[in-house]
Amino acid sequence: MLSRTPNSERIALWDPNGVNPYGSELADLLAGAGQSVSLWLPAKSKLISSERSREHRLLGDSVSTDGLVQHVIRRVAIPLVFVLIATIRRESVVLVWIRGSYEASLFAAANRMRMLKSLVFLDHNPIAGRNSGSSSKPVMSFLRASTTVNVVHGRSLVINVPPRAEART
């Protein structure tokens, strides 16, 4: 069941990492604070049990070895569908994790084109030589420069976040 208050904002969480429960935990916290939350995650993810958030399952597992068609659907079509649905619903998007350059480029471009209400990126590795997923350094720089807010794990990491985006620790 969705939990909504009159001032709640629609939030869509993107978390294709099925190993860590970050997205599920964040969805539970936001829903508990009265936000309307949709959570997109792999089929075999660790879940925090909650009836407060609406859950969407991505096709297949985060490291599935199924066929080419399923791989293309999971890695190309589903992120695009996510962006389109978030655009239609005017949801703020939180990137809990990204899986590579395509996702980083897609989300950055969508926010630059003002399709998304806002884009928050939980930047796990904003240090030289370490990027989230398999994304290249220029693509990650483009994503960081395109977000509404970058969230990093500590003050020492803020130096790597571009000044155009607001950085929060």
Side-chain angles (χ1 to χ4, degrees):
M1 186 77 199
L2 290 178
S3 174
R4 287 199 65 148
T5 61
N7 295 325
S8 71
E9 184 171 336
R10 296 178 69 96
I11 300 172
L13 299 177
W14 178 258
D15 186 8
N17 181 336
V19 178
N20 298 308
Y22 299 145
S24 184
E25 291 171 343
L26 183 57
D28 192 49
L29 288 170
L30 291 170
Q35 303 301 312
S36 174
V37 179
S38 61
L39 173 61
W40 293 59
L41 69 171
K44 295 181 181 176
S45 296
K46 295 179 180 178
L47 289 176
I48 302 300
S49 178
S50 175
E51 295 180 10
R52 296 185 290 207
S53 63
R54 178 179 51 216
E55 295 175 1
H56 297 272
R57 299 281 184 183
L58 299 179
L59 178 63
D61 199 2
S62 58
V63 289
S64 185
T65 57
D66 49 5
L68 177 62
V69 172
Q70 291 86 356
H71 182 75
V72 169
I73 290 170
R74 184 177 59 256
R75 296 296 295 262
V76 177
I78 291 175
L80 183 58
V81 167
F82 172 83
V83 166
L84 295 175
I85 289 173
T87 299
I88 291 166
R89 293 181 177 168
R90 295 302 299 151
E91 294 174 316
S92 292
V93 170
V94 177
L95 303 178
V96 177
W97 196 265
I98 55 166
R99 278 191 295 212
S101 295
Y102 170 74
E103 286 181 8
S105 299
L106 173 68
F107 294 124
N111 202 48
R112 288 242 174 165
M113 293 186 299
R114 304 207 186 278
M115 292 173 60
L116 305 175
K117 184 173 180 183
S118 64
L119 180 63
V120 176
F121 177 44
L122 304 182
D123 200 343
H124 298 279
N125 297 310
I127 55 178
R130 290 188 66 197
N131 286 313
S132 297
S134 58
S135 299
S136 68
K137 184 177 179 179
V139 171
M140 291 306 298
S141 295
F142 177 56
L143 174 61
R144 291 179 182 120
S146 302
T147 59
T148 309
V149 176
N150 285 293
V151 179
V152 296
H153 292 293
R155 287 229 174 263
S156 63
L157 301 177
V158 171
I159 194 166
N160 296 299
V161 176
R164 284 186 43 179
E166 182 180 346
R168 300 226 172 122
T169 57

